[in-house]
Amino acid sequence: MNTIQKNDIKDGEVIDLTHEGHGVVKIDNYPIFVPNALIDEKIEYKIIKVKKNFAIGKLMNVKQESKERIEPPCVYYTKCGGCQLQHMSYPAQLAMKKEQVVNLFHRKGDFKETTINDTVGMDNPWRYRNKSQIPVGLSHDKNVKMGFYRQRSHDIIDMDECLIQDDQHQQVMNVVKQLFNDLKVSIYNERSKQGLMRHVVIRTGYHSDDLMIIFVTNGKKFKQAPTIIEKLLKAFPNVTNIKQNINKTHSNVIMGDESITLYGKDKIEDSLSEVTFKISDRSFYQINSAQTEKLYQLAIDYAQLSGDEIVLDTYCGIGTISLSMASQVKHVYGVEVVPEAIADAQQNATLNQLENTTFVCGKAEDTILKWQQEGIQPDVVMVDPPRKGCDESFIQTLLTLTPQKIVYISCNPATQQRDAAMLQEKYKLIEITPVDMFPQTTHVETVALFELK
Ligand SMILES: C[S@@+](CC[C@H](N)C(=O)[O-])C[C@H]1O[C@@H](n2cnc3c(N)ncnc32)[C@H](O)[C@@H]1O
């Protein structure tokens, strides 16, 4: 019988970490999850929530610190919901991410023979985000607030720096905030659904110096736009695109369907591993470019290409993987559900003179079946789905297509493990490498190699 009560103050030792980075303490096998506590630490904590199968504790005091505990460098860290692991040394973050994959595949899954490599980390795990989506709001005294949301809320923490964003993004954010205040730009209120400015989205090229600024507004009329554009161009001579995106929906989706170019080019340009890409404002593009180059290289190495392969690149976005591989294979077929992304992929193929590519807009699960019916027999299938993983029918078609190799990139190892369990019928999961695309956060990205049995 569990005698733990809300507000109890307890002592305990942290024996494990959850995938959210919370410390785990146990009392008679009953787990208490304590955010910000690290493995091996002796802590004092207060029970703040009691459930049938677990409780939540609040860290009150660290009585014996882990050697992996560090001082979080960001002043907003304890309030902001953006990062979860700044109190943990970077080597410990990388080890935690590998451990999560080991847990899923070796302990819970049936993949004891699969090699799980160390997490590929960054030399400098800060200021890596090439895209920032910054919510805009008003403080009680009617000053413009821009920053990120408080943990598990939509309350904006006003900040002038974020250590995981590209350096230039905060400079843009601070100038824009001042302009919104000075020019009395109407600010959107999530509760009343009134007001104009909702978000500012900033994108930078990693190898190019392109800088794109997008104002996401609840309506078209943005009368201060000409003055704001003039001031931004003066402050940031490398601005290549200024856009307005109209989002009148009442949902949490940041961008709406309509975009207007207010200044400069329609798309931002960047390159990855010597392939050039034009990217529309709403197309998916990996946010950590330095790690993306490593991720793609690993995926291409796993495919062990000889030059004769037919490759399917499923969930291809703007064709970044397809075009990075195209010069090393016979033909690549890419499929993606977002029409703008496929238009980008087609334009990018022409831009890079990679003619052995075909891009189709559609659902991966439908298109792969069509390709099969057309007699396309792939040697390698690249798979890079969103967090929910693949549709079951997609996996079933893969099992009848039987390519020699499947290279599966995932931003959610739990759904990757679920899909791997289905592929096991005909495929051996040879190797998985976690790649740290999101340092300081609990997100884990992996690339896995499957070979036909
Ligand atoms: C994780 S991203 C990967 C994109 C690309 N491979 C890259 O590295 O930039 C997943 C992509 O899958 C697309 N997507 C989501 N569901 C899909 C589906 N059912 N069929 C095809 N594409 C889908 C999304 O629009 C997104 O571009």
Side-chain angles (χ1 to χ4, degrees):
M1 176 67 187
N2 167 27
T3 55
I4 292 166
Q5 309 256 332
K6 193 172 168 182
N7 293 328
D8 281 357
I9 307 261
K10 302 264 182 202
D11 279 347
E13 183 167 348
V14 181
I15 55 165
D16 204 354
L17 284 179
T18 67
H19 67 277
E20 291 168 303
H22 299 168
V24 182
V25 179
K26 284 195 174 168
I27 298 178
D28 297 333
N29 250 347
Y30 175 84
I32 299 119
F33 303 124
V34 187
N36 296 316
L38 295 178
I39 220 158
D40 291 338
E41 286 189 331
K42 296 204 168 104
I43 60 167
E44 183 182 59
Y45 60 96
K46 181 175 177 178
I47 303 285
I48 54 171
K49 196 182 262 182
V50 182
K51 298 271 188 191
K52 190 166 166 239
N53 297 322
F54 67 93
I56 306 285
K58 182 175 177 208
L59 183 64
M60 305 297 286
N61 188 11
V62 181
K63 293 187 156 175
Q64 193 179 309
E65 270 192 8
S66 158
K67 63 181 189 337
E68 306 300 349
R69 179 171 288 280
I70 59 165
E71 193 57 40
C74 172
V75 291
Y76 307 104
Y77 177 61
T78 51
K79 296 182 221 150
C80 176
C83 296
Q84 303 80 37
L85 300 180
Q86 281 195 22
H87 60 292
M88 191 186 284
S89 75
Y90 191 53
Q93 292 183 26
L94 297 177
M96 173 194 153
K97 292 183 184 193
K98 175 180 177 178
E99 185 58 21
Q100 234 187 80
V101 181
V102 168
N103 236 328
L104 272 165
F105 285 85
H106 280 179
R107 304 210 181 98
K108 293 190 188 135
D110 191 13
F111 300 96
K112 307 241 168 349
E113 287 169 20
T114 301
T115 305
I116 297 176
N117 295 311
D118 288 346
T119 311
V120 178
M122 292 188 82
D123 295 338
N124 176 13
W126 300 100
R127 303 209 184 274
Y128 58 83
R129 286 192 67 101
N130 60 32
K131 176 183 176 184
S132 302
Q133 308 191 110
I134 307 165
V136 187
L138 280 181
S139 64
H140 292 303
D141 51 5
K142 302 280 178 241
N143 273 318
V144 176
K145 290 198 284 187
M146 286 178 73
F148 292 94
Y149 293 124
R150 203 176 287 280
Q151 291 160 17
R152 285 176 286 278
S153 91
H154 265 213
D155 178 19
I156 299 166
I157 301 170
D158 191 33
M159 49 177 80
D160 43 36
E161 185 170 50
C162 165
L163 298 181
I164 62 169
Q165 278 180 15
D166 182 292
D167 206 11
Q168 219 176 104
H169 293 196
Q170 37 261 341
Q171 297 170 32
V172 173
M173 176 173 80
N174 291 333
V175 169
V176 164
K177 199 190 319 186
Q178 190 63 49
L179 287 169
F180 287 169
N181 268 323
D182 293 349
L183 299 169
K184 308 223 170 338
V185 173
S186 153
I187 305 296
Y188 182 71
N189 181 313
E190 262 193 352
R191 281 196 199 98
S192 67
K193 320 286 182 213
Q194 302 296 311
L196 182 74
M197 194 60 60
R198 298 175 70 132
H199 273 83
V200 175
V201 179
I202 309 166
R203 266 185 163 176
T204 30
Y206 178 62
H207 289 295
S208 76
D209 199 24
D210 279 14
L211 175 61
M212 178 191 252
I213 304 168
I214 308 165
F215 297 99
V216 184
T217 54
N218 172 37
K220 225 171 200 164
K221 202 168 167 210
F222 178 19
K223 63 177 193 289
Q224 298 90 344
T227 315
I228 290 180
I229 293 167
E230 193 197 318
K231 303 262 185 205
L232 284 173
L233 293 178
K234 222 175 247 165
F236 304 99
N238 62 323
V239 171
T240 41
N241 334 52
I242 300 181
K243 304 194 80 159
Q244 181 181 358
N245 174 272
I246 295 142
N247 182 3
K248 290 188 189 172
T249 66
H250 294 161
S251 72
N252 283 343
V253 176
I254 293 175
M255 303 265 258
D257 290 337
E258 190 188 350
S259 288
I260 306 165
T261 301
L262 300 176
Y263 167 81
K265 299 187 286 186
D266 185 35
K267 299 178 186 184
I268 191 169
E269 200 171 300
D270 198 15
S271 59
L272 287 172
S273 310
E274 288 165 26
V275 183
T276 305
F277 298 101
K278 289 196 179 200
I279 312 151
S280 298
D281 50 1
R282 275 168 297 152
S283 293
F284 177 91
Y285 187 64
Q286 300 279 359
I287 57 113
N288 183 337
S289 303
Q291 291 298 91
T292 301
E293 290 186 330
K294 295 182 195 167
L295 180 80
Y296 288 176
Q297 193 51 55
L298 252 166
I300 294 170
D301 290 348
Y302 275 175
Q304 293 166 305
L305 304 169
S306 68
D308 291 331
E309 288 83 1
I310 301 288
V311 178
L312 306 185
D313 178 16
T314 56
Y315 310 86
C316 72
I318 61 164
T320 39
I321 296 176
S322 310
L323 299 174
S324 304
M325 299 178 89
S327 63
Q328 300 170 57
V329 302
K330 192 166 171 192
H331 201 96
V332 193
Y333 295 84
V335 58
E336 158 67 44
V337 80
V338 174
E340 288 88 346
I342 280 295
D344 287 354
Q346 284 159 344
Q347 190 185 13
N348 290 329
T350 310
L351 184 71
N352 292 283
Q353 294 169 318
L354 293 165
E355 277 147 24
N356 58 339
T357 53
T358 307
F359 291 102
V360 175
C361 184
K363 286 188 174 171
E365 50 274 31
D366 301 339
T367 308
I368 195 175
L369 197 61
K370 268 191 219 137
W371 281 334
Q372 185 180 36
Q373 286 156 358
E374 287 166 17
I376 293 167
Q377 179 52 54
D379 304 290
V380 177
V381 176
M382 311 299 285
V383 184
D384 187 7
R387 285 187 65 74
K388 66 178 183 197
C390 301
D391 194 87
E392 194 179 332
S393 65
F394 176 87
I395 303 284
Q396 291 308 334
T397 309
L398 268 188
L399 288 170
T400 58
L401 261 180
T402 57
Q404 274 304 317
K405 291 191 176 65
I406 298 170
V407 180
Y408 187 148
I409 298 175
S410 168
C411 52
N412 182 354
T415 54
Q416 186 181 41
Q417 193 253 37
R418 178 202 66 202
D419 294 344
M422 283 191 271
L423 286 171
Q424 238 183 344
E425 188 187 317
K426 291 199 181 155
Y427 285 87
K428 184 165 180 251
L429 176 50
I430 307 290
E431 191 173 319
I432 306 178
T433 305
V435 177
D436 195 19
M437 301 291 280
F438 313 99
Q440 319 306 331
T441 81
T442 50
H443 295 291
V444 182
E445 182 100 7
T446 50
V447 50
L449 170 64
F450 295 83
E451 279 179 2
L452 192 61
K453 281 181 190 166

